[in-house]
Amino acid sequence: MKLTVTAREVGSVKADVFAILLSRKELKNEAGKRLKSLGIDESVLGDFKAAAGDMVMTYRTVSGKGASRILLAGIGDGRKSEEYRKAAESVARKAVDMHLGVLALDCSAMTEWCSHLKRKPQFLSALLVEATLYGAYRFERLKTGKLDQEKKKEAEKPKTIEDLVLAGCGEQLDLIEKGAGMGMITGACQNMARDLVNLPGNHLSAEELAEAARQSGQRGGFDVTVFDKEKITELGMGGLLAVNKGSQQPPTFTILDYRPEGKTKKSVALVGKGVTFDSGGISLKPSEGMGEMKSDMSGAAAVLAAVEAAARLALPLRIIGIIPATDNMPGGSALKPGDVITTMSGITVEVGNTDAEGRLILADALAYARKEYDPDVIVDLATLTGACIVALGNSVAGMFSNDDELADTLFKAGQTSGEKVWRMPLWEEYDELIKSEVADVHNIGGRGAGAVTAAMFLSKFIDGHKHWAHVDIAGPAFPTKGGSKTPGATGFGVRLLLDLLQGWS
Ligand code: BES
Ligand code: MN
Ligand code: ZN
């Protein structure tokens, strides 16, 4: 997508459609006049109430200049950044649905919007561009179009937004431009994460995920090291190796290392669960919905995208991304219920259920992050438990932390980024549930509090680190109900992590 930021009025920009964001108040007071000046009768407003995300498409007879389509999009009261995000996403989704390749967005009210939000123009322009990219996203790379010959004409029309013009940016053009450029980066990185998550298991193995990380490293200018099975064995990563035992494909352990030029304010390790497909292993999952388990590497994708974006934004932080990856398969030499394994840290684990595999690979990744890098903060993201979906649903992630301040910062990052997290407890009462008769710890905790016992399990592998948080994104990463409007992966976690990192920058 090409981006242009201009002072020219939206009505004079050559585009397939131009979009005007309207608040409820504006709809009442000024919308009629404004439409008239654009040559449109206000009767087209019909039942439009300007709720965030609502839209009406209107048409005018053009006198030589500008677009004939004008898309009015509601921003509700215009007092929350989420309202602007919803509007821009809906506009973009609509433009792509209608094959409109050039979209001009009226930003002449930018100064007013910013004062309502108490935010700087670069924040809002970043958000608008990011949301446009996000709304324009489609996962179509596995469609060839071979069966759509009769629709050939359709196929020739633009499939995505090719040009985005932010028009009417007379005031503070520089700042708007700066923010818009940032939005291009964060939007593209979110969509990169979504592509990885949407790719099915046969198109994204652990090695292919590692290759995607290498390419990301080239774009972002950070180091990427990939450990192969031999190196993983040499390091004694018993958790990752155990999960990989039933597979035909080797595991990988990928380390992303972003070191900015100049001084850094903090070192942060981000750890992401990279199960490329989770069949459950010998504790096989029911077949219904099993295909969705291609999304079990959403934590890894979010970590990769966040590190790339942070590097491209040149944030003054040392960031280490750690991605343990394998599929979880029930092959003849697979891990069995009852097995006891030894993780890299030396801690032994009784495997009560081979479907609780994420925590086994994260055990090694967390221990490695702690031992090799001893970062100031460790945050892990994982599609870890169905129980977390039961607790919080499909649009909110569970968050666990041994550090109240970090938990608070994450909660706030969730509020500003729209990727909400809700804190759950890590109390010692829950330790009872993961005691093992034969090993140091058990990988399952019985029926109750499944998201909590999973988090308690992880806490055993950070070796007393004081600033750790775990985010269970099983619900929002790949929502089947009540999530985002574009089916499939959401890229949940990328914005959350970036907000967190930017707050420390
Ligand atoms: N990847 C799943 C969790 C999951 C479930 C993510 C649904 C997204 C949607 C995880 O590996 C898993 O299977 N967890 C088990 C743990 C149980 C065996 C203790 C679960 O939640 O059932
Ligand atoms: Mn599982
Ligand atoms: Zn899993």
Side-chain angles (χ1 to χ4, degrees):
M1 187 177 85
K2 198 183 129 226
L3 171 74
T4 312
V5 179
T6 173
R8 282 171 55 202
E9 286 310 312
V10 72
S12 68
V13 171
K14 222 175 145 35
D16 295 319
V17 56
F18 65 76
I20 300 181
L21 308 189
L22 284 177
S23 68
R24 287 202 186 93
K25 212 168 130 205
E26 285 164 331
L27 181 66
K28 252 199 188 146
N29 304 336
E30 307 129 48
K33 240 197 257 158
R34 222 159 133 201
L35 287 180
K36 211 173 247 165
S37 75
L38 292 166
I40 292 178
D41 192 87
E42 68 176 300
S43 66
V44 299
L45 288 172
D47 293 319
F48 179 61
K49 297 259 178 355
D54 275 7
M55 294 178 294
V56 251
M57 182 67 91
T58 67
Y59 299 85
R60 62 171 179 168
T61 33
V62 218
S63 48
K65 273 182 169 180
S68 61
R69 294 180 199 86
I70 300 178
L71 184 57
L72 304 173
I75 48 171
D77 295 324
R79 309 258 156 189
K80 281 191 248 139
S81 53
E82 279 315 281
E83 296 172 317
Y84 294 82
R85 182 186 299 285
K86 263 194 193 157
E89 268 182 29
S90 306
V91 165
R93 211 174 279 124
K94 184 86 182 165
V96 175
D97 285 347
M98 293 183 64
H99 302 282
L100 305 174
V102 185
L103 165 67
L105 183 63
D106 181 12
C107 293
S108 55
M110 187 66 94
T111 311
E112 196 184 323
W113 294 340
C114 288
S115 80
H116 286 162
L117 290 175
K118 301 187 183 68
R119 288 285 191 166
K120 301 208 168 89
Q122 57 270 47
F123 172 86
L124 193 52
S125 62
L127 179 142
L128 290 172
V129 171
E130 177 184 281
T132 303
L133 282 166
Y134 193 93
Y137 176 82
R138 297 286 184 283
F139 181 69
E140 292 189 327
R141 65 156 94 170
L142 303 180
K143 292 192 177 185
T144 65
K146 282 212 159 68
L147 298 176
D148 294 329
Q149 294 300 353
E150 76 279 13
K151 285 194 194 156
K152 228 174 160 192
K153 272 216 166 114
E154 283 283 293
E156 282 155 16
K157 292 184 189 164
K159 284 197 176 57
T160 189
I161 299 172
E162 288 154 357
D163 282 282
L164 171 66
V165 185
L166 300 187
C169 302
E171 291 168 57
Q172 299 178 294
L173 188 110
D174 293 1
L175 296 180
I176 295 174
E177 214 158 36
K178 188 171 164 226
M182 292 167 75
M184 288 289 280
I185 294 174
T186 57
C189 288
Q190 284 179 65
N191 288 345
M192 184 263 292
R194 293 165 88 185
D195 268 343
L196 292 174
V197 174
N198 282 326
L199 278 172
N202 70 326
H203 284 264
L204 191 83
S205 62
E207 283 177 332
E208 283 160 327
L209 179 57
E211 180 52 34
R214 284 197 192 96
Q215 287 168 13
S216 176
Q218 300 218 314
R219 284 191 299 269
F222 55 87
D223 289 339
V224 175
T225 309
V226 179
F227 295 163
D228 60 7
K229 186 170 179 181
E230 199 179 327
K231 178 77 180 173
I232 291 166
T233 308
E234 190 188 308
L235 289 167
M237 294 186 167
L240 180 54
L241 287 167
V243 175
N244 183 254
K245 273 176 73 183
S247 174
Q248 299 279 5
Q249 290 172 319
T252 56
F253 189 92
T254 300
I255 301 163
L256 322 168
D257 194 348
Y258 164 60
R259 282 168 309 234
E261 278 168 38
K263 266 207 167 142
T264 58
K265 301 204 172 167
K266 230 187 219 318
S267 62
V268 185
L270 304 175
V271 178
K273 172 177 171 182
V275 172
T276 56
F277 176 70
D278 181 12
S279 73
I282 295 297
S283 313
L284 199 63
K285 287 181 181 295
S287 47
E288 187 172 333
M290 198 200 272
E292 285 155 25
M293 283 301 119
K294 68 178 185 178
S295 66
D296 213 15
M297 32 57 71
S298 294
V303 164
L304 180 58
V307 174
E308 180 182 327
R312 286 167 62 181
L313 295 172
L315 299 188
L317 302 166
R318 167 91 188 269
I319 308 173
I320 300 114
I322 297 195
I323 298 176
T326 176
D327 50 4
N328 182 24
M329 295 293 281
S333 54
L335 180 69
K336 303 174 290 299
D339 285 357
V340 174
I341 61 168
T342 304
T343 57
M344 190 184 73
S345 54
I347 296 169
T348 56
V349 179
E350 179 185 357
V351 179
N353 189 319
T354 65
D355 198 10
E357 84 297 341
R359 62 199 78 182
L360 301 179
I361 72 172
L362 289 171
D364 287 335
L366 289 168
Y368 188 85
R370 169 72 158 131
K371 189 169 135 237
E372 287 304 313
Y373 297 96
D374 196 22
D376 297 326
V377 184
I378 305 177
V379 179
D380 74 76
L381 260 74
T383 45
L384 205 61
T385 66
C388 199
I389 313 178
V390 173
L392 297 171
N394 273 125
S395 43
V396 176
M399 181 255 293
F400 303 80
S401 184
N402 57 3
D403 172 358
D404 291 343
E405 198 183 313
L406 176 59
D408 200 43
T409 315
L410 263 167
F411 175 77
K412 287 186 180 130
Q415 296 297 114
T416 39
S417 66
E419 295 188 334
K420 294 183 182 132
V421 300
W422 186 252
R423 191 175 185 187
M424 308 227 266
L426 279 173
W427 290 318
E428 61 183 34
E429 281 85 339
Y430 292 103
D431 258 341
E432 276 310 308
L433 301 176
I434 51 170
K435 286 233 156 87
S436 165
E437 304 265 317
V438 295
D440 298 332
V441 65
H442 206 145
N443 84 329
I444 49 169
R447 269 185 61 78
V452 184
T453 49
M456 288 301 285
F457 179 92
L458 297 182
S459 73
K460 310 294 171 204
F461 297 90
I462 54 172
D463 192 21
H465 196 284
K466 293 278 184 290
H467 311 284
W468 161 70
H470 156 60
V471 185
D472 191 332
I473 60 171
F478 198 87
T480 39
K481 267 201 202 107
S484 75
K485 294 190 178 117
T486 307
T490 58
F492 189 101
V494 181
R495 285 208 301 274
L496 176 75
L497 288 177
L498 279 173
D499 198 275
L500 185 74
L501 297 170
Q502 277 166 330
W504 286 329
S505 300

